[in-house]
Amino acid sequence: MRVPVLVEHAPSPSAPASVARRPPPPSAAGPRIAAVRCALPPHRYAQHELTGPIGDLCLSPGADRALLHRVHASAGVRTRHLALPIERYARLGDFGRSNGAWLETGLELGEEALSGALREAGLTPADVDLLVFASITGVSAPSLDARLAGRMGLRPDVKRLPLFGLGCVAGAAGLARVHDHLRGHPEDTAVLLTVELCSLTLQRGDASRANLVAGALFGDGAAALVARGGNTDGVNTDDGGSGSGSGSGTVAPASGPRVVATRSHLYPGTEGLLGWEIGAAGFRVVIDAGVPDIVRGHFGRHLRAFLAEHELTVDDIGTWICHPGGPRILSAVSETLGLSEDALDRSRRSLAAVGNMSSVSVLHILEDVRARRAPEPGTWGLLLAMGPGFCSELVLLRW
């Protein structure tokens, strides 16, 4: 495979040698993450339980299954949750039925994740000022977030931003767009909701390596993140803390990290590396073997330049929240950044427990960070993901 030659539009800045290593504290006005909650379908399978049925779906009778078994064994996945019982996939038949299952199950999981996150934050649906929704595994109009708004009791004047096409990067990019809104509206509450039912995109009768890799790697789930503007810590919503909320009472100051800064980056000439080919059968996955080479060759330089703008280096990051694209992607990120052996353990645990859930995965890892022993106050974190475009998204956090 020939790796695309990237043409940079401008040289990346580097940190001056004289810059002090100790960074200044983040602005007190920065948005804070108040809650993260994931929702997983009840249909949970060990990886070895799925190898045979997925082979039956993708391969012709009597076909050699050696590659299938190697891919499943090397994916780094132990268990996964599926939108439907595995025996139902053979009966889906066409894209319409698959997309209908995405809408039905997506609404259920989206409501579970969103209601759980709002409950954790001490808020109600009527307190939400902005709802950002991301999914790349199904489509609908009205969008899933619009359907949830009435179903859950969000205000009629809630702002909505449905996103499609970002894929795995959408968890990070969605959080970055939430940050942008809350910097300009510091009294608002914003929610990011991601729903990815990757199993419903598996192409029946497609023995391509990309389809077999997808069948071995991806899992299903939803996640919701609640973030609050810098002027909302400890406000009383009875007094109109957001100017338009329902009056849910005094909300305790959030204990989650603040979002300090974000950075987006497109890599020119790499559009064909990752994404969908969309046809009559639905979404046919594109996963090029050259993606880890792009990460090794270019990603580290852009990440270091971003940190340098904030007088930080890789060594200053105490918590890494990296999208678990697969074992090769995690190895490429670790190698290009020179990370310690355990720096991406959270990503590997998430991959093993639930597979790659596309945009949901970084939020699943962030939920794990919050559920376990929280980082010490002052700890810097970096949430990062890559996706179709080919692109990357960086979100700088501080506890």
Side-chain angles (χ1 to χ4, degrees):
M1 179 268 171
R2 178 180 173 274
V3 177
V5 176
L6 302 189
V7 179
E8 301 295 343
H9 299 297
S12 298
S14 57
S18 60
V19 170
R21 289 283 301 279
R22 179 61 57 190
S27 166
R32 189 185 291 278
I33 296 172
V36 185
R37 186 62 61 90
C38 289
L40 302 172
H43 314 294
R44 181 174 180 265
Y45 296 91
Q47 180 80 326
H48 68 85
E49 295 177 296
L50 295 174
T51 305
I54 287 176
D56 294 339
L57 287 171
C58 300
L59 303 178
S60 58
D64 183 5
R65 297 197 173 196
L67 175 59
L68 173 76
H69 285 278
R70 287 199 303 272
V71 169
H72 274 245
S74 63
V77 177
R78 289 198 305 269
T79 56
R80 282 181 285 165
H81 295 252
L82 303 186
L84 305 174
I86 186 61
E87 61 271 14
R88 283 189 55 189
Y89 286 82
R91 302 198 299 268
L92 285 174
D94 59 22
F95 175 58
R97 290 183 180 178
S98 296
N99 198 67
W102 170 84
L103 182 58
E104 180 182 355
T105 304
L107 282 168
E108 294 172 0
L109 292 176
E111 182 174 10
E112 181 183 344
L114 181 51
S115 60
L118 289 171
R119 204 163 43 242
E120 180 185 334
L123 298 169
T124 71
D127 292 314
V128 177
D129 301 292
L130 171 72
L131 174 58
V132 177
F133 169 67
S135 181
I136 199 174
T137 53
V139 291
S140 71
S143 54
L144 190 146
D145 54 291
R147 298 168 191 251
L148 277 178
R151 178 167 166 160
M152 293 187 62
L154 275 70
R155 300 195 316 269
D157 67 343
V158 65
K159 300 179 180 71
R160 296 185 300 108
L161 183 61
L163 304 175
F164 180 84
L166 289 171
C168 296
V169 82
L175 177 55
R177 303 294 76 80
V178 162
H179 162 268
D180 295 344
H181 175 85
L182 292 178
R183 287 301 299 243
H185 301 83
E187 296 182 347
D188 276 8
T189 294
V191 171
L192 168 64
L193 174 65
T194 64
V195 175
E196 302 290 11
L197 305 182
C198 306
S199 67
L200 295 172
T201 69
L202 190 68
Q203 295 294 294
R204 289 166 286 284
D206 180 359
S208 67
R209 184 181 182 90
N211 196 50
L212 296 183
V213 168
L217 191 62
F218 287 96
D220 298 343
L225 177 149
V226 178
R228 312 204 73 212
N231 291 356
T232 63
D233 282 354
V235 301
N236 189 311
T237 54
D238 287 331
D239 296 329
S242 69
S244 50
S246 67
S248 58
T250 300
V251 179
S255 59
R258 290 196 184 275
V259 180
V260 179
T262 71
R263 174 60 49 83
S264 306
H265 195 94
L266 279 167
Y267 299 82
T270 63
E271 293 87 350
L273 292 186
L274 196 64
W276 296 129
E277 291 178 354
I278 302 176
F283 302 129
R284 185 174 186 270
V285 70
V286 176
I287 306 175
D288 196 284
V291 170
D293 294 322
I294 297 296
V295 174
R296 288 189 180 91
H298 304 277
F299 176 68
R301 177 160 45 90
H302 295 127
L303 184 148
R304 288 187 177 92
F306 170 65
L307 293 179
E309 293 175 11
H310 300 277
E311 302 181 12
L312 297 168
T313 70
V314 168
D315 292 337
D316 291 311
I317 303 301
T319 299
W320 293 90
I321 302 166
C322 176
H323 173 72
R328 293 182 65 214
I329 297 295
L330 290 175
S331 294
V333 171
S334 184
E335 290 168 16
T336 194
L337 297 179
L339 299 180
S340 63
E341 192 171 323
D342 61 349
L344 301 184
D345 277 357
R346 292 183 182 90
S347 299
R348 293 188 178 91
R349 283 200 304 268
S350 176
L351 181 64
V354 293
N356 178 344
M357 296 190 292
S358 191
S359 64
V360 176
S361 283
V362 288
L363 303 184
H364 182 259
I365 298 167
L366 183 57
E367 181 187 43
D368 179 67
V369 171
R370 290 171 58 85
R372 296 171 185 263
R373 184 177 179 181
E376 294 293 328
T379 299
W380 290 96
L382 194 65
L383 186 147
L384 59 105
M386 289 151 277
F390 181 74
C391 67
S392 62
E393 197 85 28
L394 308 174
V395 180
L396 183 62
L397 306 172
R398 201 178 197 196
W399 273 263

